[in-house]
Amino acid sequence: MLNLQALKTLLFTLGPLVIPRLISYYRTVRVQSQSSPLPVRPTPPYVRNALNALFLASAFALISTVPTFSPENVFNFTSSRLQTPNDVLFTRLASMRPANILSEADNILRSRLASLDGRCLYLTYGPSTVIECPFCNSDDPRSYLYYALPSIIAPHLFNLFAIGLATSSSVSGREGARWRTLATVVGVMLALLECYMFGSYDWKLNVRVIRPDDLTYFYWRMRTFRGLSIAVVDAGLAGLLWASSTNRLFALPLSSSEKLEEVTRILETTRGKLGAVGIVRNVTARNEGLRRKGESYWVKEGEVMGEVMGEREVVEGMRSALASGRISINKIEEEARNYAEGITAGGLEGVTPG
């Protein structure tokens, strides 16, 4: 297993090379996201389903690190040394059991912890492997690893299932599918890393340890590492999924089909509004009472605007603007003519005077 000194050396060697590149990449992505024409939007409903799945997977991973849900460690539970005689160890354990009676699993464990090697393997691979494995023995320490591998990989397989569900195109659309490969690779690498750490760990590390507080409970440490690492991966994937789906970071430009669909939707909405306006105008023109109200409104509007335009301050302001050249009557007439021609060009095209 990698020790602390080797880890420090690796960090000091790769850190100056990797960290500046990561910072540069983040800044580039941030600038691209800020300059993106896509507006920030709320989290789509289908992405929320993926986020809920990742939240549940992350919550289960964190709960697994709670000591209450971890398998019992008889040495920690009885505050015993690794060299404590077997009879003394299990006498202490029996005193903490209901009616001071050892369970069947305790009796099996008692026979497996008779040797110092068995106790070291217990701290390395946990109680379930030591108790349940039918072919394991301390003469072949690798046999414990082979038996423990399915229980080591199972949480990672569950996490990969949650990742696959969250990044499925049928659940989270293309926003989740774009992260599917990256998330799967990270999940697989996490599983391989844990298998490597179990396989390379020196299971005899505790042989010379005297004080109980100095014992390395490797199996229980790895449970905590597994739960925290899975939770971090799922939380990171959820963050990426949320940021990309809301166009805050890593926003994807719309495809041609999506652009066409968006334009069609806008045109349909505009057409519907224009149709509604036409119906209102038709009803207003046909109804005598509404027609009179409309005519009186425009008569009143003309009178009000006439009074406003006739005020001394307004007249002087217009004269000043015309004299200074800030307002050009010719330019206004040209713009009005172009605007009118642009509106009527489509409707009059192909129409011949009758």
Side-chain angles (χ1 to χ4, degrees):
M1 180 183 174
L2 291 174
N3 54 29
L4 184 60
Q5 187 62 34
L7 185 59
K8 287 182 178 179
T9 303
L10 186 63
L11 290 176
F12 280 115
T13 303
L14 299 180
L17 300 176
V18 176
I19 293 177
R21 293 179 179 272
L22 291 177
I23 294 175
S24 177
Y25 175 72
Y26 170 76
R27 289 175 177 173
T28 302
V29 170
R30 186 175 180 84
V31 170
Q32 291 176 350
S33 301
Q34 291 176 346
S35 60
S36 174
L38 298 176
V40 175
R41 62 176 180 176
T43 306
Y46 52 88
V47 175
R48 292 177 192 168
N49 297 330
L51 296 179
N52 291 335
L54 292 173
F55 171 77
L56 290 176
S58 180
F60 280 126
L62 287 177
I63 290 174
S64 68
T65 64
V66 178
T68 306
F69 300 100
S70 298
E72 182 183 75
N73 183 347
V74 295
F75 293 98
N76 188 36
F77 188 54
T78 60
S79 301
S80 301
R81 297 181 299 108
L82 194 66
Q83 294 80 9
T84 300
N86 220 27
D87 293 338
V88 176
L89 175 63
F90 282 90
T91 299
R92 292 176 182 174
L93 185 61
S95 65
M96 299 178 182
R97 293 287 190 249
N100 296 332
I101 298 176
L102 295 174
S103 64
E104 182 180 354
D106 292 334
N107 290 321
I108 297 175
L109 185 62
R110 183 172 188 169
S111 63
R112 302 290 174 87
L113 299 185
S115 65
L116 193 60
D117 287 349
R119 297 185 176 194
C120 290
L121 291 168
Y122 170 84
L123 297 181
T124 302
Y125 297 105
S128 60
T129 300
V130 173
I131 293 173
E132 299 171 3
C133 181
F135 57 85
C136 299
N137 60 80
S138 55
D139 294 333
D140 184 15
R142 283 284 175 179
S143 59
Y144 288 88
L145 175 62
Y146 301 148
Y147 185 84
L149 276 178
S151 62
I152 294 172
I153 297 176
H156 295 282
L157 292 179
F158 172 78
N159 185 53
L160 286 173
F161 172 77
I163 289 175
L165 179 64
T167 57
S168 172
S169 58
S170 59
V171 175
S172 56
R174 69 168 190 158
E175 286 84 358
R178 64 179 299 198
W179 302 109
R180 189 180 185 89
T181 302
L182 176 62
T184 303
V185 169
V186 172
V188 171
M189 289 180 62
L190 197 61
L192 294 177
L193 175 62
E194 185 173 355
C195 292
Y196 169 76
M197 294 174 73
F198 267 100
S200 60
Y201 178 71
D202 183 7
W203 60 275
K204 288 189 175 182
L205 192 64
N206 291 311
V207 170
R208 295 182 177 82
V209 177
I210 304 299
R211 299 174 63 249
D213 293 340
D214 295 335
L215 289 173
T216 301
Y217 302 128
F218 181 74
Y219 171 77
W220 287 268
R221 287 187 178 182
M222 289 304 299
R223 277 181 59 89
T224 303
F225 166 78
R226 179 193 308 146
L228 292 178
S229 59
I230 288 177
V232 169
V233 169
D234 291 345
L237 176 59
L240 290 174
L241 189 55
W242 172 79
S244 61
S245 65
T246 57
N247 296 331
R248 285 177 169 84
L249 285 175
F250 310 106
L252 284 176
L254 295 176
S255 62
S256 300
S257 59
E258 289 175 331
K259 290 179 181 178
L260 181 60
E261 182 180 355
E262 182 69 15
V263 171
T264 304
R265 185 185 63 82
I266 294 174
L267 290 176
E268 288 292 336
T269 303
T270 305
R271 181 175 176 273
K273 291 181 179 180
L274 291 175
V277 172
I279 293 174
V280 172
R281 290 180 60 85
N282 189 22
V283 171
T284 302
R286 291 175 180 270
N287 187 280
E288 184 178 355
L290 294 176
R291 185 172 64 252
R292 288 179 178 177
K293 287 183 179 180
E295 292 173 353
S296 63
Y297 168 80
W298 287 112
V299 170
K300 184 66 175 177
E301 179 72 11
E303 293 176 355
V304 172
M305 292 303 299
E307 293 177 359
V308 171
M309 298 301 292
E311 292 182 359
R312 180 179 178 182
E313 292 82 357
V314 176
V315 173
E316 291 180 354
M318 293 181 62
R319 288 177 179 175
S320 176
L322 291 172
S324 62
R326 287 181 296 171
I327 297 178
S328 175
I329 298 297
N330 295 332
K331 184 177 180 181
I332 294 176
E333 291 178 351
E334 181 69 20
E335 291 178 354
R337 183 169 58 256
N338 293 336
Y339 180 75
E341 290 176 354
I343 292 177
T344 59
L348 299 178
E349 185 178 356
V351 177
T352 58

